């Protein structure tokens, strides 16, 4: 085979090899994306059908109504997801109410779930996995400290208000979420970047053309 034939064949081989590596890298990225999507979709589904396991309860007097507050984890910790249940004696049929949660010494708030330490709460609604009581599904308290839960209930016996005071919430265990996410994501991201860098350096056109020019 003469030199002219080699110059014709080698660029084609280089392009084929480069396309193969890029195809594999693209397939890897798609596989990782699909895996992340499956985890994101399946996590809420698994939570939706998990049983409500109450491990601790507290009693509070809300006007003429006796209310039992249940917690699926105890002691409570900041940024720890758990279920809350609110069960008035006699059931919730024909009754409605509101809940306001705030740090002791701060003004109560009626913002949506997930609000800041200054206050959170809203209309009492059925727990999505325990329809016989009111509740919050997979909720967390954002700040450590003493929390107050203030209830207002309306029913056949009139309207009543009461506060469950000084519920202790401990600090979040382990490192902050930002540090944990960074540590977890660095290895796969770094490996993917290294793979793409090696593939590009080994099969970039400029390097092949320089080698063939000699």
């Amino acid at each position: 085979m003469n030199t002219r034939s080699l110059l014709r064949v080698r660029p084609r081989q280089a392009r084929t090899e480069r396309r193969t590596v890029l195809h594999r890298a693209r397939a890897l990225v798609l596989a990782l994306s699909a895996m992340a999507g499956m985890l994101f979709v399946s996590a809420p589904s698994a939570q939706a059908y998990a049983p409500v396991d109450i491990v601790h309860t507290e009693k509070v007097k809300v006007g003429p109504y006796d209310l039992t507050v249940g917690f699926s984890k105890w002691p409570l910790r900041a940024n720890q997801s758990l279920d809350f249940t609110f069960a008035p004696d006699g059931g919730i049929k024909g009754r409605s109410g509101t809940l306001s949660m705030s740090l002791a010494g701060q003004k109560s708030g009626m913002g949506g779930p997930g609000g800041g330490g200054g206050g959170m709460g809203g209309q009492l609604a059925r727990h999505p996995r325990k329809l016989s009581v009111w509740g919050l599904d997979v909720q967390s308290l954002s700040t450590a400290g003493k929390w107050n839960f203030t209830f207002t209930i309306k029913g056949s016996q009139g309207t009543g208000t009461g506060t469950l005071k000084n519920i202790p919430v401990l600090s979040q265990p382990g490192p902050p979420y930002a540090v944990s996410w960074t540590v977890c994501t660095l290895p796969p991201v770094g490996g993917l970047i290294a793979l793409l860098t090696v593939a590009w350096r080994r099969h970039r056109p400029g390097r092949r053309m320089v080698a063939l020019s000699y």
Side-chain angles (χ1 to χ4, degrees):
M1 184 179 293
N2 56 32
T3 305
R4 184 174 298 176
S5 299
L6 289 174
L7 291 176
R8 290 177 181 176
V9 173
R10 287 182 179 177
R12 294 179 181 177
Q13 292 177 344
R15 286 196 296 269
T16 301
E17 292 175 0
R18 184 169 66 254
R19 289 173 181 172
T20 301
V21 173
L22 292 176
H23 177 74
R24 291 177 179 176
R26 192 176 296 112
L28 177 60
V29 172
L30 290 175
L32 292 174
S33 300
M35 186 179 298
M38 291 176 63
L39 291 175
F40 178 79
V41 171
S42 63
S45 299
Q47 293 173 353
Y49 295 99
V52 181
D53 185 18
I54 300 301
V55 300
H56 181 80
T57 60
E58 296 281 347
K59 297 281 189 178
V60 58
K61 190 75 172 176
V62 185
Y65 309 101
D66 293 317
L67 183 70
T68 301
V69 181
F71 306 88
S72 64
K73 294 181 181 180
W74 193 267
L76 305 183
R77 292 184 178 275
N79 296 310
Q80 178 187 52
S81 296
L82 70 151
D83 291 299
F84 297 87
T85 59
F86 313 116
D89 289 357
I92 63 175
K93 186 176 181 180
R95 296 172 177 172
S96 63
T98 59
L99 165 65
S100 176
M101 298 183 288
S102 63
L103 281 169
Q106 295 190 15
K107 184 178 180 180
S108 298
M110 295 300 292
M120 52 194 293
Q123 193 76 23
L124 286 172
R126 293 177 186 268
H127 192 288
R129 291 180 285 113
K130 193 175 178 65
L131 301 179
S132 61
V133 299
W134 294 315
L136 297 174
D137 175 40
V138 194
Q139 180 64 52
S140 65
L141 300 175
S142 58
T143 308
K146 301 286 187 178
W147 282 76
N148 294 337
F149 290 39
T150 299
F151 300 89
T152 299
I153 298 177
K154 298 179 181 179
S156 58
Q157 297 174 272
T159 301
T161 300
T163 301
L164 180 61
K165 297 182 178 180
N166 296 325
I167 296 296
V169 177
L170 306 180
S171 299
Q172 174 191 340
Y177 279 152
V179 176
S180 300
W181 275 105
T182 301
V183 172
C184 291
T185 55
L186 277 178
V189 172
L192 181 60
I193 293 175
L195 175 64
L196 295 176
T197 301
V198 170
W200 179 77
R201 288 173 62 88
R202 291 181 61 182
H203 299 280
R204 56 185 175 179
R207 184 176 180 180
R208 287 286 181 175
M209 295 304 295
V210 171
L212 290 173
S213 65
Y214 288 98

